[in-house]
Amino acid sequence: MNGEKRQKPTRRYATRSAKECACIATFVALLLAAQLLFSTLPGVEAVTALFVAYAFSFGVCRGVIAATAFSLLRQLLFGFFPTVLVLYLLYYNFLAVVFGLLGRRVKKPWKALVFSTALACVCTVGFTMLDNVVTPWFYAYSPEAARAYFFASLPFMATQTVCVGVSNAVLFLPLWRAFRTIWRSLSTKNA
C-alpha cells in the first residue's frame, strides 16, 4: 500500500469481533429454533418478540445482520420460496432499523413498553399487508385471486397480531435485560 505499513488488527478487536459473530449466530439459531418450534401452530409467533428486543438492545447494524442471516438461513430449514425470502428480507430488516433506532433514543425501555408493543403490532399488520402485495404480484394472481388471498390472510393476521402484542408485552423487558447483559459483556475493555 504505497510503502505504508499495514496495521494488523489488535488481538482485542479480533476477540471482540469473534464474540460478536458468535453472539449473532447464536441469536439467529434461537430465532430459527423458535420458528421451528411454533411452526405447527398457525398464528403463534415468537420471532418478533425476540427480534424486537434484540434490535432494541444491539442496535441497527447488528439487527440488520441478524435479520439478513435469519432470512437466508430460514430458507434452508423450511425450503426455498422466493416470495418468503423477499418478504422476510424486507420485513425483518425494516424491523431491525425501526427498533434499533428506537433503542438508541429510549434509555428506559419500561417507559416505552406500551409504545414498543403497539409498534410491534403495527409492524405485524404491515408484514401481512406486505405479503398481500408481494405474493399476488410474484405469482401474477388475478384480481379475484388477490382479493381472496387478502381476505384469507386476515384471520392469521389477527391471531399473529394478538400473539405479538401479548408476547412482546410479557417478554420484552426480560429479553431486553438479558440482551443488555450480553451486550455489556461484549463491550467491556477486557473482551
Side-chain angles (χ1 to χ4, degrees):
M1 298 184 80
N2 297 336
E4 296 176 21
K5 287 188 177 180
R6 181 181 279 181
Q7 286 185 320
K8 293 181 182 178
T10 63
R11 182 178 173 112
R12 186 178 77 198
Y13 176 76
T15 303
R16 191 168 139 210
S17 294
K19 284 183 179 182
E20 287 187 31
C21 287
C23 181
I24 291 170
T26 303
F27 177 68
V28 171
L30 177 65
L31 289 175
L32 291 168
Q35 191 166 45
L36 185 62
L37 180 67
F38 293 113
S39 65
T40 58
L41 304 171
V44 176
E45 206 262 316
V47 173
T48 300
L50 287 165
F51 199 81
V52 161
Y54 181 84
F56 191 91
S57 302
F58 281 87
V60 174
C61 183
R62 288 169 190 84
V64 166
I65 292 169
T68 303
F70 169 67
S71 300
L72 295 172
L73 290 173
R74 184 202 178 279
Q75 298 294 308
L76 296 174
L77 192 60
F78 290 95
F80 179 75
F81 299 98
T83 56
V84 175
L85 178 61
V86 169
L87 180 66
Y88 273 59
L89 283 171
L90 290 173
Y91 175 71
Y92 283 106
N93 281 296
F94 173 76
L95 207 63
V97 170
V98 168
F99 282 94
L101 291 174
L102 183 64
R104 186 183 300 167
R105 292 190 57 120
V106 175
K107 301 303 175 200
K108 297 179 181 173
W110 52 88
K111 290 185 177 181
L113 180 61
V114 173
F115 177 73
S116 68
T117 300
L119 185 59
C121 290
V122 168
C123 288
T124 302
V125 170
F127 175 80
T128 302
M129 292 303 128
L130 182 61
D131 180 42
N132 287 331
V133 171
V134 170
T135 301
W137 174 79
F138 184 81
Y139 292 115
Y141 285 178
S142 68
E144 296 80 24
R147 195 172 309 111
Y149 187 81
F150 170 79
F151 285 116
S153 72
L154 294 180
F156 293 102
M157 179 188 70
T159 307
Q160 274 188 318
T161 305
V162 169
C163 183
V164 165
V166 170
S167 64
N168 198 64
V170 171
L171 296 175
F172 180 75
L173 290 176
L175 286 171
W176 173 80
R177 284 186 193 105
F179 290 144
R180 286 314 287 177
T181 302
I182 294 167
W183 171 244
R184 284 189 197 112
S185 73
L186 291 175
S187 301
T188 60
K189 289 193 176 201
N190 296 329

